[in-house]
């Protein structure tokens, strides 16, 4: 029995390796036929929920290649269209983000059959950000860089909020029923009429806490004022790439990952960014497990940079703390749902940190506005 089990296990591993090799060859062939890129080396990256690849061409150029396959779900076509359209759009307006590489016929996405039978792949190719690292890694290595980095990020967000939305793309509001922007907040709000339907069957203290916030969130989203602006939706530190000059001077940033973009009041986007950049949170394996605190110098820097490009009206200032709570709640609820599904990565296991963010902001009360908008 043991030998049979071992043989079956080995056979399964061999099949997986063969399937992975076939998928890599499929990407290699697609790059040649649709982009005229000859591949020297290709590696599957162990990151994200979609197959991402690091590719080095014979020319020496490097690329990030996303293979969005229909086996992942019907959403892949729209996803490929959105991330490439937005990246190309904002890059054309001078916002720092990798602009997608176009196919030989000028398309933003290559659409091809395979690699599995009755399957379609939507291929997205982006230039590799050579010399850049994740912003959270840079700050972890050099904490003194946090304030100048966040001041620059604030300025980039404000510039984004001044751009028109692309005509070829219809972006939803995050609170729209069934919406998946801002960590599925629209889908969660559908449970407001029957809070027990949120994490149905769960009677933990955390599930009860998440349900208790639904009525507050419904009222909060009713009060979101105009104007509506193009929002990134997920400007956390792990979606910001950073580079510093060899002399240790100027920092350059790139904003990446446009999957959660939406149309909302700019303060919503700024609030989501503040949650993901100005608190001590675990962003990945190897992160320090520290108590959750609001790093005030970071938020001051983020707001300073933002207001260097766009003034924040009084109506939005009064919403910032509540919107930070709403964004933290949504991110926590999203991760808690994944935790219940058995997902075990560090960010998912640490969903409780987002509950702590909400509580920290509650404890601040009116002192928040006095501190950050004196």
């Amino acid at each position: 029995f043991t030998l049979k089990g071992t043989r079956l296990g080995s056979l399964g591993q061999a099949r997986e390796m063969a399937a992975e090799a076939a998928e890599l060859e499929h990407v290699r062939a697609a790059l040649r036929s649709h982009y005229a890129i000859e591949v020297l080396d290709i590696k599957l990256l162990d990151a994200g929920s979609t197959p991402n690849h690091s590719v080095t061409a014979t020319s020496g150029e490097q690329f990030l290649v996303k293979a969005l396959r229909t086996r992942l779900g019907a959403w892949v076509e729209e996803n490929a269209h959105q991330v490439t359209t937005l990246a190309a759009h904002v890059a054309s307006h001078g916002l720092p983000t990798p602009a997608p590489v176009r196919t030989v016929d000028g398309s933003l996405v290559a659409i091809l059959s395979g690699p599995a039978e009755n399957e379609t792949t939507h291929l997205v190719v982006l230039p590799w950000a050579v010399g850049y690292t994740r912003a959270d890694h840079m700050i972890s290595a050099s904490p003194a860089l946090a304030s100048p980095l966040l001041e620059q990020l604030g300025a980039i967000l404000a510039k984004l909020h001044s751009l028109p939305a692309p005509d070829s793309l219809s972006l939803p509001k995050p609170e729209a029923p069934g919406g998946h922007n801002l960590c599925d907040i629209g889908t969660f709000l559908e449970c407001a009429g029957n809070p027990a339907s949120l994490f149905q069957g769960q009677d933990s203290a955390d599930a009860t806490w998440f349900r208790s916030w639904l009525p507050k969130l419904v009222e909060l989203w009713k009060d979101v004022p105009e104007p509506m602006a193009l929002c990134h939706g997920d400007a956390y530190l792990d979606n910001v790439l950073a580079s510093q000059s060899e002399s240790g001077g100027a920092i350059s940033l790139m904003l990446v990952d446009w999957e959660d973009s939406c149309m909302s009041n700019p303060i919503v986007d700024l609030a989501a960014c503040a949650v993901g950049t100005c608190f001590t949170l675990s962003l990945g394996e190897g992160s320090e497990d520290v108590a959750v605190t609001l790093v005030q110098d970071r938020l001051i820097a983020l707001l300073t940079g933002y207001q260097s490009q766009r003034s924040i009206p009084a109506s939005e200032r009064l919403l910032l703390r509540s919107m930070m709570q709403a964004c933290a709640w949504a991110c926590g609820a999203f991760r808690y749902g994944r935790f219940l599904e058995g997902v075990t990565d560090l960010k998912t296991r640490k969903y409780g940190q987002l509950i702590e963010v909400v509580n920290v902001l509650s404890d601040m009360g009116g002192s928040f506005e006095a501190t950050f908008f004196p």
Side-chain angles (χ1 to χ4, degrees):
F1 176 80
T2 302
L3 286 174
K4 181 179 179 181
T6 301
R7 288 170 183 162
L8 288 174
S10 299
L11 182 59
Q13 290 179 346
R15 286 174 175 167
E16 287 181 9
M17 292 175 64
E20 182 176 313
E23 289 172 357
L24 291 177
E25 183 55 36
H26 184 260
V27 172
R28 182 190 295 268
L31 289 172
R32 180 186 302 115
S33 61
H34 288 72
Y35 294 88
I37 295 174
E38 292 293 339
V39 176
L40 176 66
D41 184 58
I42 181 170
K43 295 185 179 74
L44 181 65
L45 299 176
D46 184 20
S49 57
T50 58
N52 293 323
H53 307 80
S54 167
V55 171
T56 301
T58 55
S59 64
E61 294 176 289
Q62 294 174 259
F63 303 95
L64 173 68
V65 179
K66 301 171 73 71
L68 297 164
R69 301 180 178 116
T70 48
R71 75 180 76 159
L72 299 170
W75 55 268
V76 297
E77 181 177 4
E78 181 180 351
N79 180 272
H81 174 59
Q82 174 172 312
V83 298
T84 54
T85 299
L86 280 174
H89 175 72
V90 301
S92 73
H93 284 81
L95 201 83
T97 193
V101 179
R102 292 182 180 269
T103 65
V104 292
D105 66 1
S107 301
L108 290 171
V109 180
I111 304 173
L112 56 152
S113 59
E117 189 176 355
N118 299 321
E119 178 175 54
T120 301
T121 294
H122 299 260
L123 209 66
V124 174
V125 180
L126 299 164
W128 192 269
V130 178
Y132 283 77
T133 186
R134 272 177 29 178
D136 55 315
H137 293 170
M138 177 175 280
I139 290 174
S140 178
S142 303
L145 296 178
S147 288
L149 190 155
L150 286 169
E151 187 169 340
Q152 187 176 153
L153 177 59
I156 290 172
L157 267 191
K159 290 176 183 177
L160 171 65
H161 297 158
S162 72
L163 298 182
D167 294 333
S168 60
L169 198 62
S170 178
L171 292 170
K173 293 182 178 181
E175 70 272 25
H180 294 292
N181 311 91
L182 286 182
C183 296
D184 289 355
I185 185 68
T187 298
F188 290 135
L189 288 175
E190 288 187 295
C191 298
N194 178 21
S197 64
L198 180 64
F199 309 125
Q200 192 163 7
Q202 296 295 321
D203 58 1
S204 69
D206 290 339
T208 301
W209 182 88
F210 282 117
R211 293 179 192 124
S212 73
W213 268 80
L214 283 171
K216 304 175 194 177
L217 295 173
V218 169
E219 292 304 311
L220 176 62
W221 284 103
K222 286 180 181 177
D223 294 332
V224 177
E226 297 288 338
M228 296 292 110
L230 175 57
C231 295
H232 181 275
D234 194 19
Y236 279 33
L237 285 175
D238 50 352
N239 282 330
V240 178
L241 301 180
S243 176
Q244 188 176 30
S245 62
E246 292 184 5
S247 62
I251 298 172
S252 298
L253 300 184
M254 284 189 180
L255 193 56
V256 300
D257 191 351
W258 297 91
E259 294 183 358
D260 284 335
S261 299
C262 56
M263 296 297 294
S264 193
N265 184 283
I267 205 66
V268 174
D269 206 21
L270 187 57
C273 179
V275 169
T277 61
C278 300
F279 287 84
T280 50
L281 301 175
S282 302
L283 289 175
E285 302 298 339
S287 300
E288 284 189 53
D289 189 9
V290 294
V292 175
T293 58
L294 172 58
V295 185
Q296 293 192 8
D297 288 348
R298 292 190 186 183
L299 184 52
I300 289 171
L302 182 68
L303 293 172
T304 299
Y306 189 90
Q307 293 182 103
S308 72
Q309 303 295 321
R310 176 184 179 267
S311 62
I312 303 176
S315 59
E316 294 180 19
R317 293 183 179 196
L318 292 174
L319 271 176
L320 180 58
R321 182 172 67 98
S322 296
M323 271 300 165
M324 287 171 66
Q325 289 181 298
C327 292
W329 180 95
C331 185
F334 179 80
R335 293 181 184 177
Y336 179 61
R338 285 170 57 84
F339 176 78
L340 295 176
E341 293 170 357
V343 179
T344 60
D345 65 87
L346 183 65
K347 286 199 296 186
T348 301
R349 299 196 309 270
K350 293 293 184 179
Y351 70 85
Q353 290 185 333
L354 281 306
I355 296 176
E356 293 181 56
V357 168
V358 175
N359 292 335
V360 166
L361 291 166
S362 291
D363 292 342
M364 291 191 73
S367 68
F368 179 91
E369 285 76 22
T371 300
F372 300 108
F373 299 110

